Amino acid sequence: MPNRQRRVTLRDIAKDTGLSPAAVSYALRGLQVPEETQQRVREAADRLGYRVDPIARALASGRTDTVGVLCQSLSDVWQQGLAAALGRRLLATGRHALIVDASNDPQLEAQVAAHLAAQRVDALIVLPVDPSAAHWQEIGRQTVLISIGDGLPGAATAAEVVFDNDLGVTDALGRLASAGHHTIAVVTPNLPGTPDRPAEGVVHRVAAELGLAVTLHTSPYDLDGATAVARTVLTGPDRPTAFLCLGDSMAYGVYAATQELGLTIPDDVSVLGYDDQPLSRLLTPPLSSYRWPVEELLDLIVERTVKAIEDGRHSRRKVLPPTVQLRDSIAKPRDSAG
């Protein structure tokens, strides 16, 4: 077997520079020694190939420089992009992201969240499957807990950046109603109701106010699963004239199902998405959707995560509104057109 190269230690740098190991340690951290000594130690460390031992550093500082990012489902294109961007932003602060997929499964979410907390991540950023689950209270006691999209009722979160889903769903159903649609299918990844989640409460309240016949359908994010759900809805009784999909990934399933069934968008059915993926502009016709301020979201999450880790400071809850992006996937129903 090949010989493993011995790790360069602080003692090696001390011997090279004629300093004590303690002085070398201070110099590498920029503490208590002159700048010229710090520079000399850093040059010696680079020349000798010194690398910080992450285990020793974690034991000394109580931090791992690792942040967990727990997503609802990485089958969703929007969450893929957000998780990747979070990873890059966290890396720029000297922290590594451990990105994990809960596969839209509340039980798996609970297991993975507990595992990440046990791994001593410095913080856990979550896009929760079930915001009301009891396990968030325990996780919040174990590590810095940050929530995206939905609040975590009862949990001691360090920060929550949530989406104004009440505004988004109300606006979306109102636009479809204004276009002449009365029978609308709302497709959602999950139904647990919380103050921030556009499940039965918001949808049925707005439908009653507008006099709409709205049905609610759960769907996975992946294309095949979303297509199967849309196909079932489109071939069932009282076929809707419009879909509101609370995620563009699910709207792609509606496009696929209409093509299979020989239907056209928007002549036979209108479609409205909810997170404005770049791919949505390339569909035929381009998908109307709602754009969330992702750059602002990333800035807020990273800033508040670092503040909570380094200073133990909690931040005010921030609510982000969506902006509608109207394209060509919405039209009047055939029976009211013309």
Side-chain angles (χ1 to χ4, degrees):
M1 294 179 61
N3 293 327
R4 296 181 62 185
Q5 186 175 3
R6 187 180 71 84
R7 178 187 290 273
V8 177
T9 68
L10 293 179
R11 290 187 179 278
D12 296 319
I13 302 174
K15 183 178 179 180
D16 185 86
T17 58
L19 298 169
S20 69
V24 168
S25 177
Y26 285 133
L28 288 173
R29 288 181 290 160
L31 301 172
Q32 299 186 18
V33 296
E35 178 62 36
E36 59 201 36
T37 302
Q38 295 178 30
Q39 182 63 29
R40 181 158 61 95
V41 169
R42 285 194 289 266
E43 289 174 355
D46 290 341
R47 177 165 36 81
L48 295 173
Y50 174 75
R51 297 291 180 270
V52 175
D53 184 341
I55 297 176
R57 181 174 180 177
L59 290 172
S61 67
R63 296 179 186 169
T64 61
D65 290 334
T66 301
V67 174
V69 179
L70 178 53
C71 300
Q72 285 180 14
S73 173
L74 289 174
S75 294
D76 177 29
V77 179
W78 188 84
Q79 291 184 53
Q80 289 177 25
L82 183 68
L86 266 175
R88 292 190 294 270
R89 294 288 188 96
L90 288 166
L91 189 60
T93 72
R95 295 168 176 85
H96 297 277
L98 182 56
I99 300 171
V100 186
D101 183 2
S103 299
N104 219 31
D105 181 338
Q107 291 185 336
L108 179 59
E109 176 180 70
Q111 294 171 9
V112 173
H115 179 74
L116 288 170
Q119 292 295 310
R120 305 292 295 272
V121 292
D122 293 336
L124 178 59
I125 300 171
V126 299
L127 290 86
V129 176
D130 185 357
S132 61
H135 64 261
W136 295 123
Q137 296 180 30
E138 179 60 27
I139 299 300
R141 287 190 285 267
Q142 295 179 42
T143 190
V144 170
L145 183 59
I146 312 286
S147 183
I148 295 178
D150 297 282
L152 304 177
T157 52
E160 294 181 345
V161 180
V162 303
F163 301 144
D164 194 341
N165 287 308
D166 196 320
L167 173 65
V169 171
T170 300
D171 186 82
L173 291 177
R175 288 181 184 278
L176 292 174
S178 296
H181 295 281
H182 176 263
T183 305
I184 300 169
V186 176
V187 184
T188 177
N190 32 42
L191 289 178
T194 70
D196 305 304
R197 178 151 288 178
E200 293 183 358
V202 175
V203 171
H204 290 318
R205 172 178 58 79
V206 175
E209 292 171 357
L210 297 176
L212 304 175
V214 174
T215 55
L216 208 60
H217 308 270
T218 57
S219 169
Y221 286 106
D222 67 275
L223 181 59
D224 289 342
T227 302
V229 170
R231 186 189 306 115
T232 298
V233 175
L234 288 168
T235 56
D238 299 320
R239 189 179 83 196
T241 61
F243 279 79
L244 168 59
C245 299
L246 300 181
D248 285 15
S249 292
M250 292 176 287
Y252 302 158
V254 179
Y255 272 67
T258 56
Q259 187 174 38
E260 288 180 11
L261 298 171
L263 303 173
T264 60
I265 298 172
D267 297 331
D268 297 304
V269 60
S270 290
V271 187
L272 183 53
Y274 205 62
D275 47 36
D276 195 34
Q277 280 300 303
L279 290 173
S280 299
R281 302 194 294 270
L282 301 179
L283 299 176
T284 305
L287 175 66
S288 297
S289 191
Y290 283 82
R291 179 174 299 168
W292 300 93
V294 174
E295 289 301 314
E296 181 182 0
L297 169 64
L298 290 167
D299 289 342
L300 288 166
I301 290 295
V302 173
E303 174 191 349
R304 294 175 184 210
T305 299
V306 171
K307 186 194 308 182
I309 292 172
E310 294 186 350
D311 304 327
R313 294 169 57 190
H314 289 207
S315 301
R316 283 186 179 182
R317 184 179 222 252
K318 178 69 175 180
V319 181
L320 299 179
T323 303
V324 69
Q325 308 294 311
L326 292 176
R327 301 187 181 102
D328 298 329
S329 63
I330 300 174
K332 291 183 177 181
R334 282 188 185 276
D335 57 7
S336 63

